[in-house]
């Protein structure tokens, strides 16, 4: 039935799939985090146990994506019980018989998570709705979860300009970090003249501690593909590229599976849903350079050239891949499209704050009790995230600061924890929303060391094209080293600040322009930690030279 | 083609559409310092020395890749810009091993000229003293990585004017360096035509004619411009 998919066929697939469901379902997290703790052996063990007990007709063992509470992994969820779902934590392959006992409502003696825990109850799952529920390697699961309905609706009922209009009205802003209005970007690409146009999904997530996009790709790849297809229809593109970093092999393999399955069902390719709309997606694998997350460097890499940025304008919307108008959005941005189409712009715009709409996925990591992925409505406070959902610092320590935005962001001190999580508020504090990394630091953390860590990262990841970023980050790193080894004087701090100013304002791309942020924000809020390490100014030096 | 009128450093200037701010300024006799820019090849916007202030734009823009616009107001000289240029040059001088006294390009070096123009009599940053080698495998030319500022002029002339595609950049950040083919000794390169355009393009003493000694490396860059103008604009008569 390739290429002849219709709306009814989607319903048929969903129905057939529902019919194959069992009474109980053991959802086994097989995302990268749990996989590294032998999740594949756990699933094998459960499969074997179900077979041994002859329960195949009653129990389904399903491979699912990330359930979020990664700190408790490996996780196995049990659906179909009388009361409510049970979530087993820290599961080992040896636990299989006990889990099956639980299915039979017998005593199991396993550790289970509290489903009313604020870590879960304060979440609002929009882009992660299917995460941990569906099998990411089976398109039927996605279709049964209302998948590809939004694409069908868009292709058969609404004009491209109306799709752009809908996204604009939703208030969605880019989830890659900078927060550019998505509808405006789509509109610009749609209006740019070009014989051919492209849609690119930026999956080169690279901030230390951040893994939101990896999780989305691993847990719900079709959601991203469908979002890209809708975008392609809206802007008039027929080819998409998914740029994923090579460090995400599981995400890449699941995307390959998803693309193959979507092609088989005619949901990608020519004449989708019997319309003239054609859309193909190819995967491009990044070779390990952080800078390739910058859109112009990413495009150079897709074209097969050295991944270095170029000055903008011209912006990719005007002149992108091979000189053609190109739409580049982040993974999470594309993952928001289907919910917006399905539930309407007004619904989406009702979530969040005045200028930051919808939800945001964060990777809550660092010195916090509860580690994992959370999806929260914009406007939630940092305190709610860190203290209520995250359970505060580990071992009774005090939270000192929260780092958002990775090497482009900053450290927000504990006294500002009541700040609302939205683009503007975080920027006001010298940090950024960023792509969703959120690293909690406790009172044992040395903030100068944190600044050095991020500067080391930027120094290493600078592409080397422009001088301020290439040579400036090296000198800033050396100054931070000097301060930490207690050899610096107040003059070195002044020199560091002067370099921050230079690198921020003269670097070519976002990597360099934001590289000083971790230093600037720690200098702003934790200056005493720098000055405590300083030596007195050596006496007798020539004051007139000023050097 | 419509002409645009704009103000550069308070002066009214007219320029053809699609002209860069750098060219418009040059035409009006206003010199903006550059290092990676080279007449005849596309611009990289990498050295950041030609950054200028444009009214209504918070960001500083590179004059070499910014096109003129009607009513644009450009400032090419300000205390802030001079400070940034000076710091950028200092960063370059500290980055590798620039020792003018023993350099083939002494007296004919763009980095040296700009440094003296900006009053750099000493460098405030710690010299990095990295260990870089010299590629002297080519029979006619040499490449001293110690003097390279990674402006990529050589790469661009090699690809754009000569079309050989021998030169490229490998590594990243401060560890970036110029390579030939797939990082082979220059002398072993099969794609190099030994045209010498890269040597003509180099702003420092990094690329040089073998056999030249201190201060002997003078280059006639008008040759590159001549080739491009003859080829692309069909203009081969050069006024003296």
């Amino acid at each position: 039935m390739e290429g002849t998919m219709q709306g009814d066929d989607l319903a048929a697939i969903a129905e057939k799939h529902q019919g194959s469901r069992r009474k109980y379902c053991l959802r086994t997290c097989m995302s990268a985090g749990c996989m590294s703790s032998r999740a594949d052996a756990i699933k094998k063990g459960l499969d074997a146990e179900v077979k041994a007990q002859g329960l195949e007709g009653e129990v389904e063992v399903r491979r699912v994506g990330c359930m979020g509470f990664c700190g408790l992994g490996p996780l196995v969820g049990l659906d179909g019980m009388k009361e409510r779902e049970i979530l087993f934590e820290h599961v080992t392959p040896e636990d299989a018989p006990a889990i099956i006992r639980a299915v039979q409502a017998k005593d199991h003696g396993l550790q289970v998570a509290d489903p009313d825990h604020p870590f879960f109850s304060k979440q609002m799952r929009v882009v992660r709705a299917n995460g941990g529920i569906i099998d990411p390697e089976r398109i039927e699961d996605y279709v049964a979860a209302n998948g590809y309905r939004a694409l069908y609706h868009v292709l058969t009922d609404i004009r491209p300009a109306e799709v752009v209009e809908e996204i604009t009205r939703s208030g969605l802003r880019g989830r890659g970090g900078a927060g550019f209005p998505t509808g405006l970007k789509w509109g610009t690409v749609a209006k740019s003249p070009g014989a051919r146009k492209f849609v690119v999904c930026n999956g080169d997530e690279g901030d230390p501690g951040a893994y939101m996009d990896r999780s989305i790709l691993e847990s719900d790849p079709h959601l991203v593909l469908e979002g890209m297809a809708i975008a392609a229809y809206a802007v008039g593109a027929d080819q998409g590229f998914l740029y994923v970093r090579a460090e995400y092999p599981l995400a890449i393999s699941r995307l390959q599976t998803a693309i193959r399955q979507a092609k088989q069902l005619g949901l990608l390719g020519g004449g989708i849903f019997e319309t003239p709309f054609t859309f193909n997606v190819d995967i491009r694998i990044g070779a390990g350079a952080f800078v390739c997350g910058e859109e112009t460097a990413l495009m150079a890499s897709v074209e097969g050239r050295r991944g270095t940025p170029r000055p903008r304008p011209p912006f990719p919307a005007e002149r992108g891949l091979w000189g053609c108008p190109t739409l580049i959005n982040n993974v999470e941005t594309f993952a928001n499209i289907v919910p917006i189409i399905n539930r309407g712009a007004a619904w989406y715009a009702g979530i969040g704050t005045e200028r930051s709409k919808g939800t945001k996925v964060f990777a809550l990591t660092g010195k916090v009790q509860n580690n994992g992925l959370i999806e929260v409505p914009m406007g939630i406070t940092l305190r709610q995230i860190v203290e209520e959902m995250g359970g505060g610092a580990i071992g009774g320590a005090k939270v000192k600061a929260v780092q958002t935005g990775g090497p482009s962001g900053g450290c927000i001190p504990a006294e500002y924890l009541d700040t609302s999580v939205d683009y503007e508020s975080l920027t006001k504090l010298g940090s950024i929303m960023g792509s969703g990394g959120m690293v909690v630091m406790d009172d044992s953390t040395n903030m100068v060391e944190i600044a050095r860590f991020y500067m080391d990262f930027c120094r290493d990841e600078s592409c080397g094209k422009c001088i301020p970023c290439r040579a400036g980050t090296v000198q800033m790193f050396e100054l931070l080293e000097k301060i930490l080894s207690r050899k610096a004087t107040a003059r070195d701090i002044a020199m560091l600040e002067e370099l921050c100013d230079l690198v921020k304002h003269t670097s070519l791309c976002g990597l360099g322009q934001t590289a000083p942020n971790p230093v600037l924000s720690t200098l702003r809020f934790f200056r005493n930690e720098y000055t405590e390490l300083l030596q007195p100014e050596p006496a007798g030096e020539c004051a007139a030279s000023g050097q | 083609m419509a002409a645009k009128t704009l103000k550069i450093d308070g002066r009214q200037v007219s320029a053809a559409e699609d002209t860069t701010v750098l060219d418009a300024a040059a035409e009006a006799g206003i010199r903006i310092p550059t290092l990676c820019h080279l007449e005849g090849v596309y611009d990289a916007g990498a050295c950041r020395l030609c950054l200028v202030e444009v009214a209504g734009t918070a960001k500083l823009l590179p004059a070499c890749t910014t096109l003129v616009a009607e009513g644009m107001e450009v400032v090419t000289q300000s205390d802030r810009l001079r400070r940034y240029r000076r710091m950028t040059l200092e960063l370059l001088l500290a980055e590798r091993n620039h020792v003018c006294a023993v350099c083939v390009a002494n007296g004919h070096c763009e980095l040296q000229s700009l440094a003296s123009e900006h009053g750099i009599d000493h460098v405030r940053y710690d010299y990095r003293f990295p260990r870089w080698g010299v590629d002297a495998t080519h029979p006619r030319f040499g490449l001293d990585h110690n003097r390279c500022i990674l402006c990529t002029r050589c790469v661009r002339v090699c690809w754009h004017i000569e079309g050989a595609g021998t030169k490229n950049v490998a590594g990243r950040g401060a560890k970036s360096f110029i390579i030939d083919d797939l990082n082979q000794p220059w002398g072993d390169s099969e794609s190099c035509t030994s045209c010498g355009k890269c040597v003509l393009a180099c702003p420092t003493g990094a690329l040089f004619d073998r056999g030249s000694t201190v201060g002997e490396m003078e280059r006639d860059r008008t040759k590159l411009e001549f080739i491009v103008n003859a080829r692309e604009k069909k203009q081969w008569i050069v006024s003296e």
Side-chain angles (χ1 to χ4, degrees), chain B residues 119-147:
Chain B
I120 299 174
D121 47 14
H122 67 288
V123 171
R124 292 168 301 158
Y125 306 118
D126 278 348
Y127 284 97
R128 307 302 316 141
F129 299 121
R131 285 176 171 271
W132 286 102
V134 178
D135 185 336
T137 57
H138 192 280
R140 288 174 54 200
F141 315 119
L143 167 57
D144 185 347
H145 293 286
N146 294 289
R147 301 167 184 155

Side-chain angles (χ1 to χ4, degrees), chain A residues 288 306 311 460-468 470 475 478 495 498-499 501-502 505-508 513 547, chain B residues 44-46 48 51 59 80 83-84 87 91-92 95 122 124-126 128 149-150 169 171-173 176:
Chain A
R306 179 176 160 85
D460 192 45
E461 293 293 347
S462 166
C463 76
K465 180 168 176 173
C466 78
I467 302 163
R470 181 183 76 223
Q475 293 292 347
E478 293 300 328
M495 201 134 91
E498 197 189 33
L499 276 168
D501 175 56
L502 174 84
H505 292 108
T506 67
S507 291
L508 198 166
Q513 287 160 12
Q547 307 303 334
Chain B
R48 317 308 281 172
L51 287 180
K59 282 190 174 171
R80 182 182 178 213
R83 187 173 76 244
Y84 286 163
M87 289 171 73
L91 284 174
L92 270 185
E95 188 178 32
H122 67 288
R124 292 168 301 158
Y125 306 118
D126 278 348
R128 307 302 316 141
I149 57 168
L150 296 167
V169 186
R172 67 177 185 231
S176 306

Side-chain angles (χ1 to χ4, degrees), chain B residues 3-231:
Chain B
K4 308 279 182 193
T5 53
L6 62 154
K7 260 188 188 171
I8 304 181
D9 291 341
R11 216 182 319 157
Q12 286 281 1
V13 172
S14 76
E17 199 178 32
D18 293 337
T19 306
T20 64
V21 170
L22 183 68
D23 287 343
E27 209 180 302
I30 297 166
R31 196 178 146 274
I32 302 172
T34 56
L35 259 183
C36 66
H37 171 76
L38 181 67
E39 281 308 323
V41 282
Y42 60 91
D43 279 299
C47 75
R48 317 308 281 172
L49 286 178
C50 73
L51 287 180
V52 293
E53 294 166 3
V54 176
T57 310
K59 282 190 174 171
L60 302 173
L61 297 174
C64 64
T65 60
T66 304
L67 298 181
V68 295
E70 188 61 38
M72 197 181 214
E73 286 182 37
V74 180
V75 173
T76 73
Q77 296 289 337
S78 69
D79 287 346
R80 182 182 178 213
L81 289 173
R82 265 190 296 275
R83 187 173 76 244
Y84 286 163
R85 284 172 189 152
R86 188 194 150 104
M87 289 171 73
T88 305
L89 290 165
E90 279 185 79
L91 284 174
L92 270 185
L93 291 166
E95 188 178 32
R96 295 205 176 177
N97 304 308
H98 297 283
V99 188
C100 302
V102 296
C103 181
V104 289
N106 191 7
H108 317 288
C109 169
E110 291 182 41
L111 176 60
Q112 188 184 41
S113 309
L114 283 169
S116 92
E117 235 174 73
H118 286 80
I120 299 174
D121 47 14
H122 67 288
V123 171
R124 292 168 301 158
Y125 306 118
D126 278 348
Y127 284 97
R128 307 302 316 141
F129 299 121
R131 285 176 171 271
W132 286 102
V134 178
D135 185 336
T137 57
H138 192 280
R140 288 174 54 200
F141 315 119
L143 167 57
D144 185 347
H145 293 286
N146 294 289
R147 301 167 184 155
C148 176
I149 57 168
L150 296 167
C151 66
T152 68
R153 282 186 190 180
C154 56
V155 177
R156 285 174 285 147
V157 294
C158 187
W159 287 79
H160 180 71
I161 304 186
E162 178 62 8
T166 305
K167 292 242 177 295
N168 224 320
V169 186
R172 67 177 185 231
K175 293 175 191 145
S176 306
F177 61 104
I178 300 294
I179 55 165
D180 294 282
D181 288 348
L182 295 171
N183 195 14
Q184 289 151 282
W186 194 356
D188 294 347
S189 166
E190 289 185 8
S191 65
C192 177
T193 60
S194 301
C195 71
K197 291 186 181 69
C198 54
V199 180
L200 283 180
C202 184
T204 69
L207 285 162
F208 54 90
D209 291 327
R210 289 187 63 167
S212 42
T213 182
V214 176
E216 281 188 354
M217 203 46 225
E218 277 189 82
R219 304 161 215 257
D220 183 6
R221 291 214 179 81
T222 57
K223 282 185 188 169
L224 292 170
E225 210 180 329
F226 171 80
I227 295 171
V228 174
N229 283 341
R231 190 192 288 164

